[in-house]
Amino acid sequence: MTVEYIARRMLELRILPRFMMVVMTLVYIRVIEWGISLENLTTQQSAMISVVSGSMTGSLAVWLSSEKDHGK
């Protein structure tokens, strides 16, 4: 097994994008848990939750689109 073979295999299996989506999902869950745990949510805190939710939605859409294209 060479380094080139391992790198090619990692690209074929798309390990890095899938790992990144798992990490992003876990961070998103932690942000939601943090927001739920607050007594009084300020506008800045709710704006941050909104931005994180929007970026997660966009990232998921791009990732699902690339997964669909990869399956061809």
Side-chain angles (χ1 to χ4, degrees), residues 1-64:
M1 257 191 217
T2 64
V3 174
E4 291 175 6
Y5 173 77
I6 293 171
R8 191 175 314 116
R9 196 72 180 132
M10 284 181 69
L11 286 174
E12 287 173 4
L13 295 175
R14 303 178 55 90
I15 292 172
L16 186 60
R18 291 175 180 170
F19 175 73
M20 288 173 57
M21 281 308 296
V22 168
V23 170
M24 285 180 63
T25 302
L26 293 175
V27 170
Y28 178 61
I29 290 169
R30 294 292 298 153
V31 167
I32 298 301
E33 288 175 344
W34 169 76
I36 290 172
S37 71
L38 297 174
E39 285 286 320
N40 296 321
L41 205 60
T42 66
T43 55
Q44 291 88 357
Q45 292 165 333
S46 63
M48 188 187 85
I49 293 170
S50 176
V51 167
V52 171
S53 297
S55 64
M56 186 61 190
T57 302
S59 298
L60 184 62
V62 168
W63 182 67
L64 288 176

